[in-house]
Amino acid sequence: MTDKSPDVALADRFFEDFKKLKSEISKVIIGQDEVVNLMLTSIFCQGHSLLVGVPGLAKTLLIQTIASALDLSFKRIQFTPDLMPSDILGAETIDKDRNFKFIQGPIFANIILADEINRTPPKTQAALLEAMQEYSVTVAGQHFPLERPFFVLATQNPIEQEGTYPLPEAQLDRFLFNISLTYPSFQSEVDIVKNTTTDEKPKVNHVLGAKEVMEYQHLVRRVPVADNVIEYAVGLVHKTRFESEKAPGITKEYIEWGAGPRASQSLIIAAKCNALINGKYSPDIEDVQAVALPILQHRIVRNFKAEAEGITIAKLIEDLL
């Protein structure tokens, strides 16, 4: 971006609006700064996120608050073993004149919370993942585009695995980020208890609408990137593949499958947004490193030796960085 480029002014506006968004969200969500950053980054990158955390960490409240601050429509879908694709997409019914009429399902909203996505069978999971990829649904041979912007936040509970259907690696790859939600600090939890045990409810003001969100999504795509940054991102992904000439010893020893080309694309698009939210006009290697963990951790499969020795994927990514 040059000094006279209109994109520079837009980038400056985005930087200020992002700060306003964070300020509004922090009225309700306390002590999850990094998670909020990643969620908003995912939206502005036109991506989707998988949020992994134990119950009671305000996952639903978080996404509702973001939807309010962005003035976007929000729907929550509780995934259960008996959920059918039509419960998500909608179905055709016959009206009083005996004509077929399509009744839209909850997928027709800007922001979708897919709560406990791994509790429903693969057939139903696939119905959601098709919408994530194509931004449209097909029901009874009819094609229905989804309203943009469209963002899916899927949650998983990491401690209760009985009766679940884990997402296959190919489907996990559709998510831009895999975000780990941890317990709040002592002081944050004190503040949470103070804020949530009274009748007073903080009001979240609208900061952006759908039009502005899409404008910023296109801005992120236009951010220029130096060749050495792209080469660093692609090189990092190649380091996760044991058959690559760039693979170090730890990859060959502990990784069964590495990340695919979508990981390289994700690293660059997320690095672009990370640069903008930090007041820069172009990403550098530090921006790639900042988003590497949530992008790579669901795209790498450890081998048996790594599992037996307790080597986590996060530790492997840290070593690769």
Side-chain angles (χ1 to χ4, degrees):
M1 296 183 190
T2 63
D3 289 341
K4 294 181 181 178
S5 165
D7 280 347
V8 169
L10 190 58
D12 291 338
R13 200 175 88 205
F14 176 56
F15 177 65
E16 294 302 323
D17 282 343
F18 195 89
K19 287 195 293 185
K20 290 177 190 172
L21 269 176
K22 293 281 297 291
S23 177
E24 288 300 317
I25 293 165
S26 67
K27 291 179 182 177
V28 179
I29 304 300
I30 298 167
Q32 297 290 356
D33 191 63
E34 185 58 30
V35 173
V36 172
N37 265 354
L38 289 172
M39 296 270 291
L40 292 174
T41 296
S42 185
I43 291 173
F44 290 118
C45 289
Q46 302 179 49
H48 311 282
S49 289
L50 180 66
L51 192 59
V52 181
V54 298
L57 294 182
K59 296 187 288 289
T60 303
L61 181 62
L62 171 61
I63 192 66
Q64 281 178 325
T65 305
I66 289 174
S68 295
L70 292 174
D71 195 18
L72 299 175
S73 58
F74 166 75
K75 295 281 179 66
R76 178 178 180 270
I77 307 170
Q78 183 63 52
F79 280 66
T80 56
D82 60 348
L83 192 75
M84 299 297 291
S86 58
D87 296 326
I88 298 173
L89 307 179
E92 281 197 329
T93 61
I94 299 178
D95 63 18
K96 62 181 180 181
D97 299 321
R98 300 196 174 211
N99 295 317
F100 282 105
K101 181 182 178 183
F102 177 66
I103 305 298
Q104 292 184 350
I107 195 73
F108 288 88
N110 296 124
I111 296 183
I112 306 295
L113 172 59
D115 214 358
E116 297 192 278
I117 189 174
N118 56 334
R119 292 210 170 278
T120 201
K123 180 179 180 180
T124 307
Q125 290 176 4
L128 177 70
L129 292 163
E130 178 190 356
M132 290 165 56
Q133 185 72 14
E134 307 297 334
Y135 296 101
S136 62
V137 298
T138 304
V139 178
Q142 284 189 283
H143 191 71
F144 300 95
L146 295 170
E147 188 181 352
R148 306 290 285 270
F150 178 73
F151 171 65
V152 172
L153 172 74
T155 70
Q156 282 190 181
N157 180 348
I159 56 174
E160 239 182 303
Q161 297 304 325
E162 203 168 322
T164 61
Y165 305 82
L167 288 168
E169 276 68 26
Q171 293 181 342
L172 280 172
D173 197 39
R174 304 270 180 93
F175 291 95
L176 178 70
F177 289 141
N178 181 338
I179 305 169
S180 297
L181 195 59
T182 57
Y183 288 115
S185 67
F186 177 81
Q187 188 54 52
S188 292
E189 194 159 343
V190 168
D191 294 338
I192 289 167
V193 173
K194 283 181 182 177
N195 284 15
T196 56
T197 52
T198 68
D199 266 344
E200 292 181 16
K201 300 285 183 189
K203 184 179 185 302
V204 177
N205 298 308
H206 301 321
V207 178
L208 301 174
K211 181 182 176 184
E212 290 86 0
V213 170
M214 292 175 68
E215 188 178 20
Y216 290 146
Q217 286 178 337
H218 293 305
L219 170 69
V220 168
R221 296 265 164 180
R222 295 197 298 271
V223 170
V225 188
D227 286 348
N228 70 303
V229 176
I230 294 176
E231 288 165 7
Y232 176 82
V234 174
L236 179 60
V237 172
H238 272 255
K239 284 181 181 180
T240 69
R241 303 171 188 165
F242 64 86
E243 75 277 13
S244 171
E245 59 184 26
K246 292 183 178 289
I250 57 166
T251 297
K252 294 174 179 176
E253 190 173 2
Y254 294 120
I255 295 178
E256 185 169 350
W257 291 105
R262 194 178 274 142
S264 299
Q265 296 168 326
S266 299
L267 282 170
I268 291 302
I269 194 72
K272 288 181 177 188
C273 190
N274 194 72
L276 290 178
I277 67 175
N278 286 289
K280 297 186 289 186
Y281 301 125
S282 182
D284 49 33
I285 286 171
E286 285 72 21
D287 292 300
V288 175
Q289 293 171 334
V291 296
L293 179 61
I295 283 174
L296 295 175
Q297 65 182 351
H298 58 298
R299 293 181 164 100
I300 294 173
V301 180
R302 294 176 298 167
N303 60 21
F304 178 76
K305 184 178 180 183
E307 291 182 23
E309 293 183 16
I311 307 292
T312 64
I313 290 176
K315 178 70 171 70
L316 290 170
I317 294 169
E318 184 185 325
D319 289 346
L320 290 174
L321 285 170

